[in-house]
Amino acid sequence: MKMSDIPFVTTDWSTIPVEVHAGDSGEATWRVQHFGPEGNRIRVRMVEYSPGYVADHWCSKGHIILCLAGEMETRLDDGRVMPLKAGMSYQVADGAEAHRSSTATGATLFIVD
């Protein structure tokens, strides 16, 4: 990730439109901002997983994820399960371990990818 051509800006996340993404169960609501030039764009998201959310796909995209509230589990394609609670983060590169997230209780995440 190279961050370039991004002016200083603040984001009031409550003003960003909500996108709803259904999971295998539950849903994820995203508030999304894009920064930087085309081809080197960074996506920044505030994401809320509903209680009982299970992602509908295995993801191979790189992310930096900070859990702000609640907790979730991320299952890796090799069978490992990584818990993430409020105040914890994880980092994974593009094309590294495929992963799939779920939560029993719900979670609020700040994600950069």
Side-chain angles (χ1 to χ4, degrees), residues 12 27 36 42 75 77 92 98 102:
D12 178 351
E27 64 184 26
I42 295 171
R75 180 172 304 277
D77 62 353
V92 63
S102 63

Side-chain angles (χ1 to χ4, degrees), residues 3-105:
M3 296 174 53
S4 62
D5 299 318
I6 302 171
F8 186 93
V9 18
T10 62
T11 301
D12 178 351
W13 289 100
S14 68
T15 67
I16 306 302
V18 172
E19 301 175 12
V20 178
H21 299 265
D24 276 351
S25 65
E27 64 184 26
T29 57
W30 298 9
R31 295 176 189 266
V32 181
Q33 292 280 275
H34 292 95
F35 300 99
E38 199 66 40
N40 193 34
R41 196 165 259 188
I42 295 171
R43 179 174 65 170
V44 181
R45 297 180 282 161
M46 186 72 67
V47 174
E48 293 184 33
Y49 290 159
S50 68
Y53 174 78
V54 176
D56 67 347
H57 66 284
W58 286 89
C59 180
S60 294
K61 178 140 184 62
H63 312 284
I64 298 170
I65 296 181
L66 171 62
C67 183
L68 300 172
E71 55 186 68
M72 63 179 238
E73 289 186 342
T74 299
R75 180 172 304 277
L76 304 181
D77 62 353
D78 65 7
R80 291 180 289 160
V81 176
M82 304 296 181
L84 200 66
K85 298 179 181 181
M88 295 175 67
S89 66
Y90 78 70
Q91 300 70 226
V92 63
D94 289 332
E97 295 89 352
H99 47 281
R100 184 175 186 204
S101 295
S102 63
T103 176
T105 59

